[in-house]
Amino acid sequence: MESAVARSGRPPDSVELVAVSKTHPPEALVEALEAGQTLFGESRVQEFKAKVPVLPGRVRWHFIGHLQRNKVRQVLSLPVELFHGIDSLELALELERISADTGVRPRILLEVNVAAESSKFGFRPESIRASLEQILSLNRVSVEGLMAIPPAAAEGERARPYFAGLRQLRDALASEFGVGLPVLSMGMSSDFEVAIEEGSTLVRVGSALFGRRSGSGWRPASESERLSA
Ligand SMILES: *Cc1c(COP(=O)(O)O)cnc(C)c1O
């Protein structure tokens, strides 16, 4: 990360690492925490909910996954500093509605379907404007920027056009709407250097830090007991 930042002539503190800890047990997070990593990304509500109480309070959490509308209330009761994967107007409106009840002020990124993949969630670049206009008018939800996951086949250098496209979309929206949108969440284990060169401010790195994820991954004890019962 440091050399990619230096190569692109950006200030060293302009990019932050989100350690993607989904499927890994709390011990793995503690080890990373002891090495100085305080920011973690989780993407499954049940697993996240189980990890929060067993990790020290100084851990900072980002929710990076797709969020189902019926899980919004649960996840808003957890300490989420930033939501990366807000992928529809309906979801943003649900966050607004429930946060009015619970008194929180969610900070969000809008997920953009940069390659128009039919299998993927997210706003289409050509139709994001109407939704953004409505989301910007909300009282509690605050849009901080954009997030994208390029097609799986576009690893490393091949992801560059998608990252550049997300940055250009952000620049265009920021100027059209007269807002900041400073955060660009892009780049994972296979392409974070390219993403940094293209302006990423948050890289979401999992396997390069924690190793490969096993199929089902870590489950809180109570849940695995239930499953084996
Ligand atoms: C799992 C995940 C990552 C991490 O992917 P790696 O290739 O293991 O670095 C990044 N972003 C999101 C949204 C994820 O779900």
Side-chain angles (χ1 to χ4, degrees), residues 21-206:
S21 47
K22 65 179 185 214
T23 77
H24 296 287
E27 302 79 67
L29 284 80
V30 168
E31 198 181 334
L33 189 63
E34 282 165 0
Q37 177 66 27
T38 53
L39 176 58
F40 294 89
E42 288 282 335
S43 64
R44 301 168 185 185
V45 175
Q46 290 316 315
E47 180 184 346
F48 176 36
K49 197 173 163 183
K51 278 178 182 169
V52 168
V54 299
L55 279 140
R58 65 193 164 94
V59 167
R60 296 160 51 214
W61 301 100
H62 284 190
F63 193 84
I64 64 168
H66 170 66
L67 181 59
Q68 288 167 285
R69 267 189 278 168
N70 61 6
K71 302 252 171 83
V72 166
R73 191 175 292 275
Q74 273 191 71
V75 82
L76 281 180
S77 69
L78 298 166
V80 179
E81 194 183 89
L82 184 67
F83 290 90
H84 290 229
I86 303 307
D87 51 20
S88 70
L89 175 62
E90 293 70 31
L91 181 58
L93 296 176
E94 187 67 358
L95 279 165
E96 173 78 8
R97 190 176 75 81
I98 304 219
S99 59
D101 292 352
T102 61
V104 292
R105 295 189 172 276
R107 297 169 58 225
I108 68 168
L109 304 179
L110 302 184
E111 179 169 356
V112 180
N113 188 346
V114 279
E117 291 170 279
S118 56
S119 59
K120 252 186 204 150
F121 297 108
F123 294 93
R124 295 290 175 99
E126 64 280 7
S127 57
I128 195 173
R129 286 172 174 78
S131 303
L132 179 61
E133 183 163 15
Q134 279 200 59
I135 296 171
L136 285 170
S137 74
L138 301 176
N139 290 318
R140 311 200 67 92
V141 167
S142 158
V143 192
E144 315 269 319
L146 304 179
M147 177 264 208
I149 308 172
E155 289 201 342
E157 198 53 47
R158 294 204 288 167
R160 189 181 296 277
Y162 300 106
F163 295 145
L166 191 71
R167 170 172 40 82
Q168 286 155 8
L169 178 63
R170 186 277 308 274
D171 293 348
L173 296 174
S175 100
E176 283 167 42
F177 288 89
V179 291
L181 306 176
V183 181
L184 281 179
S185 168
M186 55 189 199
M188 321 203 296
S189 293
S190 63
D191 53 23
F192 65 91
E193 289 147 303
V194 176
I196 290 171
E197 289 167 8
E198 293 300 331
S200 173
T201 67
L202 286 174
V203 290
R204 310 175 310 271
V205 176

